[in-house]
Amino acid sequence: DLYLNLIRMVVAPLVLFTIASSIAKLGEGAGAVRLGVRTIVWFAVTSLLAVLVGIAFGHLINPGLGLADLPLGEVKAREIPTPLEVLIGVVPTNPFAALSEGRVLQIIFFSALVPCILATKIPVKLSHLVIIWFERVALTIVIATPIAHLLF
């Protein structure tokens, strides 16, 4: 349990600081925006491919065939969110809650948003200091993770 808790503890900050510092290093606004658009398009295309492969395999192997004959208790249908609800769910209402609860998509969204704000709304000297801090925190986590792995 301790080892898994350590892994979970590292994931959210590592994602936040590595993505934010990487996007910030791309340069002023245009590079970050271009990467953000390319990332969203790439994510959408790969998600679509994954869905199509899943549907194809579902039709080929017919999962769940014969389950009707099994004695099952009462099963409640789960509500499936609409695509708009999923898209809205990617935007965190509270980025700190997303970090503490490990909601990776929301962390990624926030991580991509921070460097865009730094590049467009914050004075260059201050944004440069924040980017250096992000890089150092990410490096600290990357260095500390194998050490924690050896200890536990």
Side-chain angles (χ1 to χ4, degrees), residues 12-57:
L14 186 62
V15 168
L16 171 69
F17 291 112
T18 54
I19 290 176
S21 63
S22 298
I23 291 174
K25 280 193 260 182
L26 288 175
E28 302 294 319
V33 170
R34 187 172 56 248
L35 176 68
V37 170
R38 290 178 70 188
T39 302
I40 290 170
V41 169
W42 181 252
F43 181 76
V45 168
T46 55
S47 297
L48 177 66
L49 289 174
V51 167
L52 293 175
V53 167
I55 290 172
F57 273 102

Side-chain angles (χ1 to χ4, degrees), residues 52-84:
L52 293 175
V53 167
I55 290 172
F57 273 102
H59 284 295
L60 286 174
I61 62 174
N62 293 321
L65 187 66
L67 284 179
D69 301 334
L70 294 176
L72 298 175
E74 185 179 327
V75 178
K76 294 181 182 178
R78 202 175 119 197
E79 280 190 43
I80 299 174
T82 65
L84 181 61

Side-chain angles (χ1 to χ4, degrees), residues 119-134:
T120 58
K121 301 293 181 187
I122 307 295
V124 175
K125 284 186 178 185
L126 182 59
S127 67
H128 185 66
L129 290 174
V130 173
I131 292 166
I132 289 171
W133 184 77
F134 277 14

Side-chain angles (χ1 to χ4, degrees), residues 82-120:
T82 65
L84 181 61
E85 290 172 336
V86 171
L87 190 61
I88 291 171
V90 171
V91 180
T93 54
N94 182 345
F96 298 106
L99 283 164
S100 68
E101 294 168 7
R103 291 190 233 133
V104 178
L105 278 178
Q106 291 184 352
I107 296 169
I108 291 171
F109 178 85
F110 183 70
S111 300
L113 185 64
V114 168
C116 294
I117 293 170
L118 285 173
T120 58

